[in-house]
Amino acid sequence: MIALTKSKVYTAEEYLELEVNAEERHEFIDGEIVLMTGGTPNHNEIASNFLVILKVGLKGKPYRCFITDQRLWIPQLNRFTYPDVMVVSQPLELQAGRTDTVTNPLLIAEVLSQGTRSYDKDGKFAAYRTVPSFQEYLLIDQYMVCVEHYAKTNEQEWIFREYKNLVDRIMLSTIPLEFTLADLYESIQL
């Protein structure tokens, strides 16, 4: 358990030192350490389903896939976060001097919860967009069949698509993969 002081502003180095030994995961937002909430069974199952889709679909291709516990560094905003699912193009790039913090995500997916929905759609998405390698974002609802898909078309433009039917097929823009919402929501009780 990390012993945090509410009024203290932490350095990135202090955060990383505390986080290595922490039992829970924390985000770091420009000096503030924020405890991450636990996930629901639907949240975990959807993230796991997506990881399986990615791992099978990208087998033998130059990508790495990560889930939940892989830390991402967003240097422009002095922020560390843990995306639900992240795809990285090879070669894997790590924060200088670290072996546990990725810096080159290509695709990120977040499974929405009541407590993080607004943050995932607004604050996190804005932060992710400062990472030069980041090209594609999926927001996956865990309470109803709905996926919001954002794909970068140029430096300041993103295309938005929304999918709401189990038969809908999502074709990813940045990696060679297509899948159905039925596969993503397999075994999910809504």
Side-chain angles (χ1 to χ4, degrees), residues 51 54-55 58 63-67 85-88 175:
L51 182 66
L54 290 166
K55 294 294 274 183
L58 297 175
Y63 302 98
R64 302 268 309 264
C65 304
F66 300 101
I67 191 167
V85 179
M86 185 169 36
V87 177
V88 175
I175 56 177

Side-chain angles (χ1 to χ4, degrees), residues 7 15 33 45 54 57-59 80 84 87 112 115 120 139 146 157 162 175 190:
S7 60
Y15 160 76
I33 297 176
E45 188 78 14
L54 290 166
L58 297 175
K59 186 175 182 177
F80 291 92
D84 289 329
V87 177
L112 301 176
D120 289 341
L139 294 168
C146 183
E157 185 175 88
E162 186 174 47
I175 56 177
L190 299 173

Side-chain angles (χ1 to χ4, degrees), residues 75-128:
Q76 189 172 333
L77 299 176
N78 193 29
R79 183 178 291 191
F80 291 92
T81 187
Y82 293 87
D84 289 329
V85 179
M86 185 169 36
V87 177
V88 175
S89 184
Q90 296 277 22
L92 179 66
E93 295 175 18
L94 299 172
Q95 181 187 18
R98 307 277 325 163
T99 60
D100 57 0
T101 307
V102 171
T103 62
N104 65 323
L106 183 61
L107 177 145
I108 294 174
E110 296 287 0
V111 180
L112 301 176
S113 64
Q114 299 297 350
T116 65
R117 178 180 299 274
S118 292
Y119 175 50
D120 289 341
K121 286 184 166 205
D122 298 323
K124 260 191 178 176
F125 188 27
Y128 292 155

